[in-house]
Amino acid sequence: MKGHQKVSSEKPIWDRSSSGVSMTRPARRLMIWLILFISVTYIIYTLKIISTSHPCEQDPTILQQRPQKKAISVAVEAVAAEQEPTDLKNVVFGIAASSKLWKHRKEYIKIWYKPKKMRGYVWLDKEVKIESDAAGEQNLPPVKISGDTASFPYTNKKGHRSAIRISRIVSETLMSLDSDSRKNVRWFVMGDDDTVFVTENLIRVLRKYDHEQMYYIGSLSESHLQNIFFSYGMAYGGGGFAISYPLAVALSKIQDRCIKRYPALYGSDDRMQACMAELGVPLTKEQGFHQYDVHGNLFGLLAAHPVTPFVSMHHLDVVEPIFPNMTRVRAIKKLTTPMKLDSAALLQQSICYDKSKSWTISVSWGYAVQVFRGSFSPREMEMPSRTFLNWYKKADYTAYAFNTRPVSRNACQKPFVFYMSNAKFDQELNTTVSEYTRHQVRHPACGWEMANPEEINTIVVYKKPDPHLWDRSPRRNCCTVLQTMRNNTLWINVGVCKAGEVTEVK
Ligand SMILES: *[C@@H]1O[C@H](CO)[C@@H](O)[C@H](O)[C@H]1NC(C)=O
Ligand SMILES: *[C@@H]1O[C@H](CO)[C@@H](O)[C@H](O)[C@H]1NC(C)=O
Ligand SMILES: *[C@@H]1O[C@H](CO)[C@@H](O)[C@H](O)[C@H]1NC(C)=O
């Protein structure tokens, strides 16, 4: 029996019968079938355990210890990869750009695109000069030239027929991928050349949805009139939107026929929506995608972001730089510092009161802190103040698709704004420390007998990184004013609200 033992320890279980163990023929056959049956059952059972178990509970070492043939372990790996939560490697970006504006607009793409971690293409109407020696040029996604759309009808008098080319980017991107590179694609994310994504937050949003189902995810315009003219069921292209893989496949099969049915539409995103309507897939609204169809100063919107991850911003050439006294591109770049420290918390609002001084304080983490004389309730503070103007300049606040509050006329209620000037992680304190410096503008005289926020020059905000913020139910963070002796600096702590902690006006 020496040979038998040797074989049994080296060969897979179904090969044992060849080891010369003497048996009658029918008995041997039965044995083979029995062993085969057990093995197959075992394999199916193993695969089932893996496919139903939670990804976090998988221990890769356990998988490796199991005696399996190579083909099976490859299958197991594929199943395991399927179960992994969505990450950047599962996303393909499609960026709509034009050769005319490329030289300027590519600077926005360089801010957020990371070629080592991301996959994507810039789709242009024609070739552009690649300035490979220019700064950050190697950070741009590869350029592709869109297919010819001259045969498609376009009859909108106000728009431009490039809309057809741009609406085909998702399909063209899908077609450009070979079967091997399609394998781990779960989402196609579209954006314009003047869209800036916070990709960590994009992933946080996409993880909420099953990529094997058909999803069309994005957001509306800030302008009620835009939503009436276009659609309240459309993902605005500049804010960016995500299309799950199965939906992209379904779309690519009908899109060219579909586009030909809507020659009178204006843009690319309304053409996309028209085809979505034909497929019967509605828009899944996610408020963190920002079209920013506004003019003027975004401050009011950025200082009172809804309680949802901040995913994108757009129309950066239309609005003023988000930090004063800076170019638009530099101002956006500045946001990447807090973004790296705690992307989930970027631009999240928290509201608290300095009771000794009777001030209301509103933090927009990583961006700005406002100090108001007097007490404002949270329901007032979470409404964006109208520092911006309507997309249709004649329209007023009644034409926004959300609540806003007026900029106060009372001289005493003009907020003191502190813009983020510095942010870092303090190893010793084990927390992020962001600094905000007072914006030096003249304030009207105020007769109220109360501390003047002008005495404060710097606000320091402590906040522990909280990457799992959005794994919990949405809730605004709480802030507390820390009592200190220094007169011209205010220290604030921002974090998860403690049990029973609420923002109460006193
Ligand atoms: C604007 O920036 C310039 C150069 O960075 C600086 O010299 C100037 O003082 C700044 N102005 C204000 C109002 O902050
Ligand atoms: C730092 O804080 C985190 C929680 O934010 C905690 O998990 C970690 O253990 C802390 N590290 C040290 C060295 O205290
Ligand atoms: C802080 O302000 C108080 C009065 O508000 C004053 O008496 C004190 O001298 C100030 N301290 C510093 C360090 O400026």
Side-chain angles (χ1 to χ4, degrees), residues 18 50 133 141 247 249 309 407 415 479 498:
S18 64
I50 290 157
D133 49 339
L247 182 55
V249 171
V407 173
C479 63
K498 296 179 194 77

CSV table of all heavy atoms in Angstrom, one decimal, residues 18 50 133 141 247 249 309 407 415 479 498:
chain,number,residue,atom,x,y,z
A,18,SER,N,-6.6,5.3,-9.9
A,18,SER,CA,-5.6,4.8,-10.8
A,18,SER,C,-4.4,4.3,-10.1
A,18,SER,O,-3.4,3.9,-10.7
A,18,SER,CB,-5.1,6.0,-11.8
A,18,SER,OG,-4.5,7.0,-11.0
A,50,ILE,N,-18.5,31.3,-1.0
A,50,ILE,CA,-17.7,32.5,-1.3
A,50,ILE,C,-18.7,33.5,-1.9
A,50,ILE,O,-18.6,34.7,-1.5
A,50,ILE,CB,-16.6,32.2,-2.3
A,50,ILE,CG1,-15.6,31.3,-1.6
A,50,ILE,CG2,-16.0,33.4,-2.9
A,50,ILE,CD1,-14.7,30.5,-2.5
A,133,ASP,N,5.9,68.6,-22.7
A,133,ASP,CA,6.9,69.2,-21.7
A,133,ASP,C,6.2,70.2,-20.7
A,133,ASP,O,6.7,70.6,-19.7
A,133,ASP,CB,8.0,70.0,-22.5
A,133,ASP,CG,7.4,70.9,-23.5
A,133,ASP,OD1,6.3,70.7,-24.0
A,133,ASP,OD2,8.1,71.9,-23.9
A,141,PRO,N,-5.7,62.2,-19.2
A,141,PRO,CA,-6.1,61.0,-19.8
A,141,PRO,C,-5.7,61.0,-21.3
A,141,PRO,O,-5.6,62.0,-21.9
A,141,PRO,CB,-7.6,60.9,-19.6
A,141,PRO,CG,-8.0,62.2,-18.9
A,141,PRO,CD,-6.8,63.1,-18.8
A,247,LEU,N,-26.4,49.3,-18.3
A,247,LEU,CA,-27.1,50.4,-19.0
A,247,LEU,C,-26.3,50.9,-20.2
A,247,LEU,O,-26.9,51.2,-21.2
A,247,LEU,CB,-27.4,51.5,-18.0
A,247,LEU,CG,-28.2,52.7,-18.5
A,247,LEU,CD1,-29.6,52.2,-19.2
A,247,LEU,CD2,-28.5,53.7,-17.4
A,249,VAL,N,-24.4,49.2,-22.0
A,249,VAL,CA,-24.5,48.2,-23.1
A,249,VAL,C,-25.9,48.4,-23.8
A,249,VAL,O,-25.9,48.4,-25.0
A,249,VAL,CB,-24.3,46.8,-22.5
A,249,VAL,CG1,-24.7,45.7,-23.6
A,249,VAL,CG2,-22.9,46.6,-22.0
A,309,PRO,N,-22.2,63.5,0.2
A,309,PRO,CA,-20.8,63.7,-0.3
A,309,PRO,C,-20.7,64.7,-1.4
A,309,PRO,O,-21.5,64.7,-2.4
A,309,PRO,CB,-20.4,62.3,-0.7
A,309,PRO,CG,-21.4,61.3,-0.2
A,309,PRO,CD,-22.6,62.1,0.0
A,407,VAL,N,-29.1,87.6,1.4
A,407,VAL,CA,-28.0,88.1,2.1
A,407,VAL,C,-28.6,89.2,3.0
A,407,VAL,O,-29.3,90.1,2.5
A,407,VAL,CB,-27.0,88.7,1.1
A,407,VAL,CG1,-25.9,89.4,1.8
A,407,VAL,CG2,-26.4,87.6,0.2
A,415,PRO,N,-22.0,88.5,7.6
A,415,PRO,CA,-21.1,87.5,8.2
A,415,PRO,C,-19.6,87.9,8.0
A,415,PRO,O,-19.2,88.5,7.0
A,415,PRO,CB,-21.4,86.2,7.4
A,415,PRO,CG,-22.0,86.7,6.1
A,415,PRO,CD,-22.7,88.0,6.4
A,479,CYS,N,-20.3,70.9,15.9
A,479,CYS,CA,-19.1,71.6,16.2
A,479,CYS,C,-19.2,72.3,17.6
A,479,CYS,O,-20.3,72.5,18.1
A,479,CYS,CB,-18.7,72.6,15.1
A,479,CYS,SG,-19.9,74.0,14.8
A,498,LYS,N,-22.2,63.9,19.7
A,498,LYS,CA,-22.2,62.9,20.8
A,498,LYS,C,-23.7,62.6,21.1
A,498,LYS,O,-24.6,63.2,20.6
A,498,LYS,CB,-21.6,63.6,22.1
A,498,LYS,CG,-20.1,63.9,21.9
A,498,LYS,CD,-19.5,64.6,23.1
A,498,LYS,CE,-18.2,65.2,22.8
A,498,LYS,NZ,-18.3,66.5,22.0
